[in-house]
Amino acid sequence: MNILVLHGPNLHLLGKRQPEIYGHETLADINTTLDQHAAASEHPVVLKILQSNHEGELVSIIGDHIDWADGILINPAAYTHTSVAIRDALATVAVPVIEIHLSNIYAREEFRHHSYISAIAVGVIGGFGSHSYKLALEAMIHILRQTAENYSETPN
Ligand code: DQA
């Protein structure tokens, strides 16, 4: 299972960025937890974790992994609420996508209540701080396992 994990703008500043909303863990802490979780999985999981502050770069990264990724975990950060381009890139790659947020975007300002990404995601996990990422990774492993099992059960 090859899983691409993407962090959007300003998430490189986690730990320093509004800790009352986003917590005290750094992005490196979150990535380490994800790597440990992947390594402990009974299924072989390869994670590739990237962060960018630039919309076009995120679009390029997504497209560049069209033949690699079996699933994508993405916290699009502010681009959640603005980016048709990232949505289109994710839809093009056509693998399961899980949208992640540290905060509960529905309990915040109204402009955060709309996501361009949710409609093309299999699910959205938010509001659990850094734990949202771990929950999303578990959900993705579950989805990819089910897909693999269904595929192996399909008669020729
Ligand atoms: C966020 C929520 C977004 O509204 C915000 O712009 C972010 C982080 C979250 O993880 O809670 O940058 O995606």
Side-chain angles (χ1 to χ4, degrees), residues 9 11 17 22 75 77-78 80-81 100-103 105 108 112:
L11 296 175
R17 180 189 178 196
Y22 298 115
N75 182 346
T80 307
H81 319 296
I100 302 171
H101 299 287
L102 295 145
S103 63
I105 57 175
R108 301 183 62 196
R112 296 185 203 276

Side-chain angles (χ1 to χ4, degrees), residues 16-85:
K16 292 182 181 153
R17 180 189 178 196
Q18 296 176 284
E20 69 286 3
I21 296 174
Y22 298 115
H24 292 278
E25 275 190 81
T26 66
L27 196 61
D29 294 334
I30 291 173
N31 292 343
T32 300
T33 304
L34 286 176
D35 278 332
Q36 286 169 348
H37 198 67
S41 168
E42 49 179 305
H43 310 282
V45 177
V46 179
L47 292 187
K48 189 158 176 186
I49 308 179
L50 298 167
Q51 188 274 334
S52 176
N53 293 323
H54 305 282
E55 183 177 22
E57 194 174 350
L58 289 162
V59 169
S60 296
I61 291 170
I62 293 164
D64 288 347
H65 289 82
I66 193 162
D67 294 324
W68 183 86
D70 297 310
I72 299 176
L73 306 182
I74 183 166
N75 182 346
Y79 291 136
T80 307
H81 319 296
T82 62
S83 183
V84 176

